[in-house]
Amino acid sequence: QAQLVESGGGLVQAGGSLRLSCAASERTFRSVAMGWLRQAPGKEREFVASIARSGGRTFYADSVKGRFTISRDSAKNTVYLQMNSLKPEDTAVYYCSATNDWAYNEARAFGSWGQGTQVTVSS
């Protein structure tokens, strides 16, 4: 089972920024890809962003392109999600995940999660 610990969530005004962090075990960090997903109240969990093990390939949901950036630090076994120009519709619990499925631009590829971190964007 993947070992993942998210942090960095909070309350921010629309237009603001937050950076989420996800500390993974070394084994989990060696997965094919790491990703961020989110779940808003009453909605299904949705794909946000993912990054390949090499760091050379990234994917983003259309709703966050140009505003969010995913990155990884191999020395720290940590994945980050820099979120800029936040909107109220970005409000959700954000989950870090890992996958060995090569379709890592889709939510279905991710099956194990951290505890999540709440992001709330006020208008």
Side-chain angles (χ1 to χ4, degrees), residues 9 31 44-45 48 82:
S31 300
E44 294 186 354
R45 198 167 302 190
V48 175
Q82 177 67 44

Side-chain angles (χ1 to χ4, degrees), residues 103-114:
Y104 55 84
N105 61 332
E106 300 178 29
R108 65 176 179 83
F110 297 92
S112 57
W113 323 96

Side-chain angles (χ1 to χ4, degrees), residues 58-108:
T58 57
F59 291 100
Y60 296 93
D62 287 343
S63 59
V64 307
K65 279 181 182 176
R67 299 188 298 121
F68 290 11
T69 302
I70 189 171
S71 61
R72 57 190 290 152
D73 184 336
S74 297
K76 297 181 179 179
N77 292 341
T78 299
V79 177
Y80 303 98
L81 186 68
Q82 177 67 44
M83 305 186 296
N84 299 328
S85 302
L86 282 161
K87 304 175 181 180
E89 51 263 45
D90 294 319
T91 296
V93 177
Y94 283 70
Y95 296 92
C96 179
S97 187
T99 183
N100 286 315
D101 189 328
W102 288 94
Y104 55 84
N105 61 332
E106 300 178 29
R108 65 176 179 83

Side-chain angles (χ1 to χ4, degrees), residues 38-54:
R38 66 187 182 186
Q39 187 167 20
K43 295 187 177 182
E44 294 186 354
R45 198 167 302 190
E46 65 174 359
F47 173 82
V48 175
S50 61
I51 185 167
R53 180 169 52 209
S54 66

